[in-house]
Amino acid sequence: MDFTETLPNYVCTEMIARYASESARPNWQPIDVVSAEVLYEDHKESYRNLTQNGRKLNKKMEDLDGSWSTGEFGTILINLFNPATAANFHYSKDSRSAGILAKVYDYSVDHRHSTWTVSVGGQSYMPAYKGSIWIDPATARVLRIEMQAYGFPEDFPDDHVETATDYEFTRLGDAKQYLLPVHSENLACQRGTNNCTRNAIDFRNYHKYTGESTITFGKDK
């Protein structure tokens, strides 16, 4: 909660390089590059000015064909550490992330308490998931989070979904540094096949968002 409460309103550019592979040994072929402006305002994220291979799209992120994700700006972390999620944590090892020697904790969340929604082909499911988090012992901030879903119903289109997000301290035009996502990777595979998609996401050009206003001058009489 402290992580999100201290974040100011900001805007950044999200670049999503999307790939697909149809072989047992992954051979990733580029599909397209999607970009969007991400506006984080009043602790909520929204997406605008979507483009696909440089061409403007008149649609919302959730209406985008293919694979996409949201929540990297705090929702994932808030849900994981919410007591209602009942995540089970245990210390695993020490490991470096973003040049910092971090404490790595493994965790698991059962299906009953999951808030991670995976949607494929008009179907949605909140799977059980497990993973690891890298925590900076000096600041108690999460530097990296990995999530792997499991236990999908047999009629669900995908049977393998995982994601990982890296966070680093970033300046937003002032002297302060804020822990923000800088890179994310998402992987999803269709049930019983070698057909998989991978998204490599970079977050760039962070700066504070101070709102927008329009001034209209009336005609002189």
Side-chain angles (χ1 to χ4, degrees):
M1 292 302 296
D2 183 57
F3 165 79
T4 56
E5 289 299 326
T6 57
L7 285 178
N9 295 339
Y10 62 84
V11 63
C12 74
T13 302
E14 177 177 2
M15 302 293 296
I16 310 171
R18 304 197 295 182
Y19 303 87
S21 175
E22 299 180 354
S23 57
R25 189 172 185 176
N27 180 24
W28 298 111
Q29 301 298 316
I31 300 174
D32 58 16
V33 176
V34 173
S35 71
E37 278 188 329
V38 183
L39 174 61
Y40 187 86
E41 186 176 23
D42 299 330
H43 313 304
K44 295 181 181 179
E45 61 195 71
S46 59
Y47 299 79
R48 63 186 188 183
N49 298 331
L50 265 68
T51 69
Q52 184 178 33
N53 293 334
R55 180 175 58 86
K56 187 172 182 180
L57 299 176
N58 293 317
K59 59 175 63 177
K60 298 178 180 179
M61 178 69 81
E62 55 267 29
D63 298 326
L64 189 65
D65 295 332
S67 178
W68 53 272
S69 66
T70 62
E72 292 88 355
F73 295 87
T75 306
I76 291 174
L77 297 181
I78 292 173
N79 289 342
L80 179 61
F81 289 104
N82 189 324
T85 302
N88 179 29
F89 295 92
H90 64 272
Y91 172 77
S92 173
K93 60 184 179 181
D94 286 5
S95 179
R96 288 194 175 275
S97 179
I100 296 173
L101 185 60
K103 300 293 183 181
V104 182
Y105 289 81
D106 295 335
Y107 67 87
S108 61
V109 177
D110 62 27
H111 166 59
R112 187 163 62 93
H113 296 94
S114 176
T115 57
W116 183 13
T117 301
V118 178
S119 299
V120 182
Q123 297 187 48
S124 295
Y125 186 72
M126 291 183 178
Y129 62 96
K130 59 186 177 180
S132 302
I133 53 172
W134 281 248
I135 297 180
D136 179 0
T139 62
R141 292 292 188 263
V142 175
L143 301 173
R144 177 178 172 85
I145 179 170
E146 296 179 351
M147 304 168 61
Q148 299 94 36
Y150 66 93
F152 287 104
E154 292 184 359
D155 60 348
F156 196 75
D158 285 357
D159 60 4
H160 185 100
V161 177
E162 63 182 59
T163 182
T165 302
D166 291 302
Y167 299 82
E168 291 184 7
F169 287 98
T170 305
R171 283 189 169 85
L172 295 175
D174 55 21
K176 295 182 179 180
Q177 293 193 94
Y178 304 91
L179 195 65
L180 298 169
V182 293
H183 185 75
S184 185
E185 296 267 349
N186 299 322
L187 176 68
C189 297
Q190 294 179 15
R191 178 174 299 278
T193 75
N194 294 320
N195 298 335
C196 299
T197 59
R198 180 173 70 92
N199 290 358
I201 308 170
D202 289 301
F203 304 96
R204 309 169 180 170
N205 304 323
Y206 279 103
H207 55 277
K208 281 189 175 181
Y209 177 74
T210 56
E212 298 174 344
S213 61
T214 301
I215 300 176
T216 302
F217 295 94
K219 294 181 179 180
D220 294 334
K221 294 184 179 179

